[in-house]
Amino acid sequence: MVTSADGTLYGYRKMGAGPGVILLHGGMLSSESFVRLGECLAGDFTVYIPDRRGRGASGPVGARYSVVRDVEDVKALVAHTGADSIFGLSSGAIIALESALAIPALRRVAAYEPPYRVGSYDPAAWAPRYERELSRGKLADAMFTVMKGTSGSRLLKSIPHSLAVPLLERGLRENERGAKPDQVPFRELIPTMRFDAAIVNETSVSLERMRSLRADVLLVGGSKSAAFLHAALDALALLISGARRVELRGLRHTAPCNDGKPQIVAAALRDFFLMRGARTE
């Protein structure tokens, strides 16, 4: 555990041996969600998997939250571990890119489908309804609103809340009963999604800043992910000089997670993080 600039404790898992790599999870996830990805990389790297603040082993989000707090957390972890490579999924990918802008010691950054707002599509349009449901204590409703709002599945979007919510309520109860000591129940993760929406809204207005990124960048996506995620990767590829773009066939947005295809994502990351001759200009 390390202490961030504002005094918040930042907890993380550690595994493997070799050059340091940080893995940042996305929304409604915790460090436990990346255990299999970490295990796939642990033969070549020392892997650090933090719980983003407000989740798991880390301290509270704190007042006046912004993505700057997340960057400060990463900076503290980099200073403590010496890690020079970072990977992030979804909102974690946004934090990874923002961290690489602010922390020169990060020489390589891999971003899996950061959900930036590009064009007229708003990837955080679900947030107002989610907030209303959350304020009324309707966690299952709020969870389903997030699921529909962040998925590219037309089938999922067509399912009414009245059908899905009872099943989700039962699932939340079973998840809480079956959670292991190192797992964060979904009931605790659902309220944190407001901070993922805040990250998208805060950073999407200034994508041009990515032109100044000097780290080596790998932009990764799955061929079966939503169109707006492909659009965000396209926009970044145009902005970041020398960025590498990889599309993994047959994979979706959650591929890096335990129940996805982390071994395939790990293979792409291993090749990139072991690459010689990172830019230093």
Side-chain angles (χ1 to χ4, degrees):
M1 188 169 292
V2 297
T3 303
S4 194
D6 66 350
T8 299
L9 294 178
Y10 195 51
Y12 61 90
R13 300 169 189 258
K14 178 182 177 182
M15 61 183 72
V21 172
I22 297 169
L23 307 180
L24 292 180
H25 62 78
M28 223 182 301
L29 302 174
S30 67
S31 63
E32 192 274 335
S33 307
F34 274 0
V35 166
R36 284 190 59 203
L37 179 62
E39 290 172 346
C40 290
L41 295 169
D44 298 285
F45 307 97
T46 302
V47 181
Y48 303 95
I49 315 175
D51 281 308
R52 286 168 47 198
R53 59 171 56 203
R55 305 155 177 91
S58 292
V61 172
R64 296 188 298 277
Y65 172 76
S66 81
V67 73
V68 172
R69 301 287 85 78
D70 294 292
V71 173
E72 289 173 348
D73 296 342
V74 172
K75 187 174 182 179
L77 187 56
V78 168
H80 180 72
T81 64
D84 66 358
S85 299
I86 190 168
F87 164 79
L89 164 66
S90 196
S91 53
I94 294 178
I95 296 169
L97 289 165
E98 292 288 331
S99 296
L101 277 174
I103 306 169
L106 289 174
R107 299 170 63 234
R108 295 185 178 91
V109 55
Y112 194 103
E113 299 181 344
Y116 288 111
R117 186 187 304 114
V118 175
S120 60
Y121 186 84
D122 181 3
W126 48 267
R129 176 170 180 166
Y130 157 88
E131 290 287 357
R132 292 193 300 272
E133 291 164 339
L134 203 62
S135 69
R136 295 196 292 268
K138 296 185 174 182
L139 289 180
D141 290 82
M143 182 178 185
F144 192 55
T145 292
V146 173
M147 291 170 62
K148 292 180 74 170
T150 57
S151 172
S153 169
R154 292 182 180 178
L155 176 61
L156 183 62
K157 291 179 184 294
S158 69
I159 299 174
H161 272 58
S162 59
L163 290 181
V165 167
L167 295 176
L168 286 176
E169 287 175 338
R170 185 172 66 184
L172 288 175
R173 290 192 296 270
E174 293 175 353
N175 172 259
E176 192 165 30
R177 283 197 298 267
K180 298 177 182 178
D182 65 341
Q183 292 177 320
V184 184
F186 279 123
R187 190 173 298 278
E188 297 178 17
L189 292 172
I190 294 168
T192 67
M193 280 301 298
R194 57 164 49 103
F195 305 112
D196 296 274
I199 288 172
V200 172
N201 290 329
E202 178 183 354
T203 59
S204 291
V205 299
S206 55
L207 270 186
E208 284 290 327
R209 294 186 307 112
M210 290 298 159
R211 292 188 186 277
S212 64
L213 189 52
R214 291 295 173 261
D216 275 295
V217 177
L218 178 69
L219 302 172
V220 194
S223 65
K224 291 190 175 181
S225 294
F228 76 90
L229 295 168
H230 291 282
L233 289 172
D234 290 340
L236 288 171
L238 292 174
L239 290 171
I240 302 172
S241 175
R244 297 163 178 81
R245 175 79 179 275
V246 171
E247 181 170 280
L248 301 177
R249 291 182 60 82
L251 299 195
R252 301 183 186 277
H253 189 56
T254 57
C257 300
N258 294 339
D259 56 355
K261 298 288 184 180
Q263 70 278 11
I264 297 176
V265 178
L269 296 181
R270 184 180 298 108
D271 291 344
F272 175 63
F273 289 141
L274 291 175
M275 180 185 62
R276 304 291 181 182
R279 289 186 291 176
T280 58
E281 74 272 13

